[in-house]
Amino acid sequence: KKKRSDFSKAEMSSSYVGSLDQGTTSTRFIIYDKQARPVGSHQVEFKQYYPEAGVRNCIAKAVEKAKEDGHDVENGLKAIGKLEKELSGGRTFVETCGLPISTYFSAVKLLWLLENVETVKKAVENGDALFGTIDSWLIWNLTGGVNGGVHVTDVSNASRTMLMNLKTLEWDKPTLETWESNLGFCQRLLVTLRLLGTSQMDGYPGVPISGCLGDQHAAMLGQACRKGEAKSTYGTGAFILLNTGEEIIHSKNGLLSTLAYKLGPNSTANYALEGSIAIAGAAVQWLRDSLGVISSASEIEALAKSVETTGGVYFVPAFNGLFAPWWRDDARGVCIGITRFTTKAHIARAVLESMCFQVRDVLESMHKDAGEKGETKNEKGEFLLRVDGGAAVNDLLMQIQVWLIHLFHSFFTIFIEYFWTHSNFPE
């Protein structure tokens, strides 16, 4: 990690690109040189809030304030669940936005705020409210905030709100009317790569902010996934995307239809099928922080490797429900098969296997939706799955992933790119 004072005069006179990676559990900033080599980075983790079992508080401060003001938080959350059940099985907006109704997406959170937090309701009525995803909040602050900050987002992040039309790549007016929302406080939609504004930060004024891309869309673009190619990101959660080219495929098997990327005003949009898994690396953090089984996340590989199997232990990390392809908010975590023989090593290995089982389920759904024609294979007939994310450095995890896919699904002869170059491929 370099400080500003660590750079030489020659380095200071060169051009660099800064990348801000805003994740679920941390903020990371990386500086790259002209050859795309990282020359400096810094990462800060921040506290997670879990006010009650099964509810992940993505808007912790808003909910806490609502409780203090005497608002009925519990009934508000129950109302969301009722909404999901009443509106055609929760798939009312799939044709327009590609997403099922879920508390995972912005529109449902926005509806709850409008109905339960009086300060938010009044701010909207007075024209003093702005709605956006985390990227728009960051850009707004970086470009001046209350002193003329730019309120924008890109189409990849907007595709996660349930409010954008996938075909037109604009806010969908009928959907906004259904949610009793309006365009007045939504951010302006822009394509991924273009000048969004300039920084007004102390010490770094005038730095151009030249692009914005949603987390998984960025991973797909960074992995150069073209039509028929897929990637899996193993982070706090796990996210598997298959590029479907210019075609929007509406899943019949529990996946999301989403925008992959649109790189310029005149470029063609690429779409994707996505399977979102709520808990992947977060289960390792749970072993570390809540159970004390390991003292650092990197220890899990050696611990899990110390046993050849899980000893019959199976772990389902449904800490706050299950996402794709099941979409069960009422699901809860479970660990079964425990005997007197079970050790923490068996449980650690079962946690790794749980990530791979979930990815396998998503790949199976993708195969059903896209079919053989929708999957690009190499000259050996292998389907390439590119992998990234913090947990992808775990060779055992990648090995288990290959084994589970081959063992249960003969239609996939899978080739994991990272695994092939970092481990001994099993016979």
Side-chain angles (χ1 to χ4, degrees), residues 173-401:
K173 290 184 179 180
T175 301
L176 287 166
E177 290 171 1
T178 302
W179 288 101
E180 299 179 351
S181 183
N182 61 73
L183 289 170
F185 64 108
C186 288
Q187 63 277 62
R188 189 158 67 102
L189 283 174
L190 299 172
V191 294
T192 296
L193 299 180
R194 60 162 291 169
L195 180 64
L196 304 177
T198 56
S199 167
Q200 301 301 317
M201 294 184 299
D202 291 341
Y204 297 92
V207 175
I209 300 174
S210 304
C212 176
L213 196 59
D215 189 16
Q216 302 315 313
H217 312 80
M220 171 164 269
L221 182 62
Q223 291 277 23
C225 288
R226 295 178 174 82
K227 182 180 179 180
E229 298 178 340
K231 70 89 198 170
S232 180
T233 297
Y234 300 80
T236 303
F239 301 87
I240 306 91
L241 276 80
L242 174 70
N243 190 324
T244 60
E246 298 177 30
E247 180 185 6
I248 301 174
I249 296 179
H250 291 290
S251 176
K252 297 179 180 178
N253 296 281
L255 302 180
L256 308 179
S257 301
T258 188
L259 179 79
Y261 43 77
K262 181 176 171 63
L263 301 182
N266 301 318
S267 66
T268 302
N270 268 228
Y271 295 92
L273 281 170
E274 176 177 353
S276 306
I277 294 168
I279 301 295
V284 178
Q285 292 175 327
W286 173 73
L287 285 181
R288 180 194 66 191
D289 301 335
S290 298
L291 298 188
V293 172
I294 52 177
S295 58
S296 67
S298 59
E299 291 178 9
I300 192 170
E301 181 173 9
L303 180 60
K305 265 185 176 179
S306 67
V307 291
E308 294 185 358
T309 69
T310 65
V313 175
Y314 289 90
F315 179 67
V316 180
F319 294 157
N320 53 315
L322 288 172
F323 289 176
W326 312 110
W327 296 105
R328 291 289 301 269
D329 284 344
D330 60 340
R332 293 295 176 265
V334 63
C335 188
I336 61 173
I338 297 174
T339 67
R340 287 289 297 273
F341 171 73
T342 303
T343 67
K344 61 182 182 180
H346 295 107
I347 294 174
R349 193 175 182 106
V351 165
L352 294 184
E353 284 195 0
S354 73
M355 301 184 212
C356 301
F357 274 116
Q358 292 180 98
V359 171
R360 187 203 71 187
D361 288 343
V362 169
L363 288 172
E364 183 180 38
S365 292
M366 282 183 172
H367 180 76
K368 290 176 181 177
D369 283 332
E372 292 285 348
K373 293 181 179 179
E375 299 162 354
T376 300
K377 298 181 179 180
N378 62 18
E379 63 278 0
K380 296 181 181 179
E382 298 168 324
F383 176 72
L384 173 64
L385 178 67
R386 294 177 168 92
V387 298
D388 55 39
V393 300
N394 186 321
D395 286 348
L396 178 61
L397 177 68
M398 296 296 97
Q399 189 175 51
I400 292 171
Q401 187 69 83

